[in-house]
Amino acid sequence: MSCIGKNIKKIRTVKNLSQAAFAQLFDLARPSVGAYEEGRSEPKIDTLVQIARHFGISLDLLITKELTVNDLYGFDIFKRDLHPDHLLIKVADATEAPAYHTALVMAVEQTAYFTHRQEKQFIDGLPSLILPGEAQILHRAFEHTGSEMQYQQHGLRHGDILYCSAVAVDASQLKPNEVYVVLTQNKLVARRYRGLTEDGALLLKADNPDYDHLSLPIAEVTELWHVDGVYSTYLKSPSSLEERLTRLEALVRKLTGE
């Protein structure tokens, strides 16, 4: 029996769900649940994400660790009856956040995030990462999409996970040349902050020169996140020549103010 199968069986048992009831939750055939639990097959990644989100369990733990009953109680899987009107405080006003527990917004969840980003029940239902961070600062992780921040095999790649800290929607708090995740009512982008335009909008630059600069009025920005770190499955050790060229390019950009 695989680790995933054991965890599914443990969750189902603790939640007092039959295989048929568990299957119905995730639009599965009952025999599929039995096959997962017996290690004869494993769920698709979309199904795993749904299971992790539904029970409030970290996706990486669901896949990599054989969970105990105590682990499951630690994820508060019995406490799913939060009042729908219980909203999160605005990001700009956040003073406290759970330490080391970071909600992960995958690409498939980004559309829903625009609408439900302030609903605590929705945020609690997202997959989560356990990463270091200051308890008084709100953190969030986003799956990066697109190639705008990748140039000559360097930078952010499609599918990378961006670990971010909340920043007030205030241009005076932003640091030039730092990378931020910027959210509007219908757009989520990762860009490098270059400064303000003449009319006071945020000027955001893609590292890939094939993409134009993006100008966003501050009034349209609903959330701002500073990218503190990146998790990537792409591993490529640059040669010494590549490293020198990268440093030289960075120096040229700094001197020319690009």
Side-chain angles (χ1 to χ4, degrees):
M1 186 185 299
S2 71
C3 181
I4 295 172
K6 290 178 181 179
N7 288 339
I8 288 176
K9 185 172 183 179
K10 186 70 63 65
I11 292 169
R12 186 176 59 76
T13 301
V14 172
K15 290 290 288 180
N16 196 27
L17 294 169
S18 65
Q19 287 187 347
F22 188 93
Q24 188 174 13
L25 280 175
F26 305 105
D27 196 24
L28 301 169
R30 190 210 59 76
S32 295
V33 178
Y36 301 155
E37 295 182 356
E38 294 168 13
R40 292 184 283 110
S41 67
E42 291 189 346
K44 295 179 179 178
I45 186 62
D46 289 347
T47 301
L48 288 171
V49 169
Q50 290 179 39
I51 293 172
R53 181 180 61 201
H54 182 84
F55 294 107
I57 296 175
S58 171
L59 181 60
D60 57 341
L61 292 183
L62 178 64
I63 295 174
T64 62
K65 178 186 176 183
E66 184 176 346
L67 300 172
T68 66
V69 172
N70 286 338
D71 288 331
L72 297 178
Y73 278 110
F75 286 114
D76 293 329
I77 64 173
F78 287 112
K79 301 176 182 179
R80 305 296 297 175
D81 56 346
L82 296 172
H83 195 283
D85 294 330
H86 189 186
L87 301 181
L88 289 175
I89 58 177
K90 292 182 179 179
V91 171
D93 299 329
T95 56
E96 294 185 359
Y100 312 118
H101 183 85
T102 303
L104 170 60
V105 184
M106 300 294 287
V108 295
E109 296 287 352
Q110 288 182 5
T111 300
Y113 186 76
F114 295 138
T115 304
H116 304 291
R117 63 186 178 84
Q118 287 189 354
E119 296 179 10
K120 190 175 188 302
Q121 187 172 13
F122 172 78
I123 297 298
D124 287 348
L126 291 172
S128 60
L129 300 176
I130 300 176
L131 294 170
E134 298 179 38
Q136 69 270 24
I137 299 177
L138 183 63
H139 290 86
R140 191 139 300 152
F142 297 90
E143 181 183 11
H144 180 63
T145 59
S147 59
E148 296 89 338
M149 297 301 290
Q150 180 186 341
Y151 181 56
Q152 295 184 347
Q153 303 302 313
H154 294 279
L156 305 179
R157 294 176 173 272
H158 184 85
D160 285 355
I161 302 300
L162 311 182
Y163 180 58
C164 308
S165 55
V167 179
V169 182
D170 180 354
S172 66
Q173 302 296 316
L174 305 185
K175 300 177 181 178
N177 296 318
E178 294 286 307
V179 179
Y180 293 87
V181 170
V182 184
L183 187 80
T184 67
Q185 291 293 338
N186 55 13
K187 182 183 301 184
L188 190 154
V189 296
R191 290 288 193 281
R192 197 173 298 278
Y193 175 64
R194 298 295 295 165
L196 295 176
T197 63
E198 292 182 357
D199 56 358
L202 301 180
L203 182 61
L204 307 171
K205 180 181 180 294
D207 284 355
N208 188 332
D210 292 335
Y211 291 83
D212 293 332
H213 288 17
L214 183 64
S215 176
L216 284 179
I218 295 179
E220 295 182 9
V221 177
T222 56
E223 290 182 3
L224 267 175
W225 302 88
H226 179 265
V227 177
D228 298 333
V230 180
Y231 169 78
S232 178
T233 58
Y234 178 81
L235 297 176
K236 177 179 180 295
S237 299
S239 68
S240 58
L241 176 60
E242 287 177 319
E243 289 178 342
R244 289 197 296 270
L245 286 174
T246 300
R247 291 170 186 163
L248 179 60
E249 288 174 350
L251 178 60
V252 170
R253 285 197 298 267
K254 183 176 181 181
L255 293 175
T256 59
E258 292 184 1

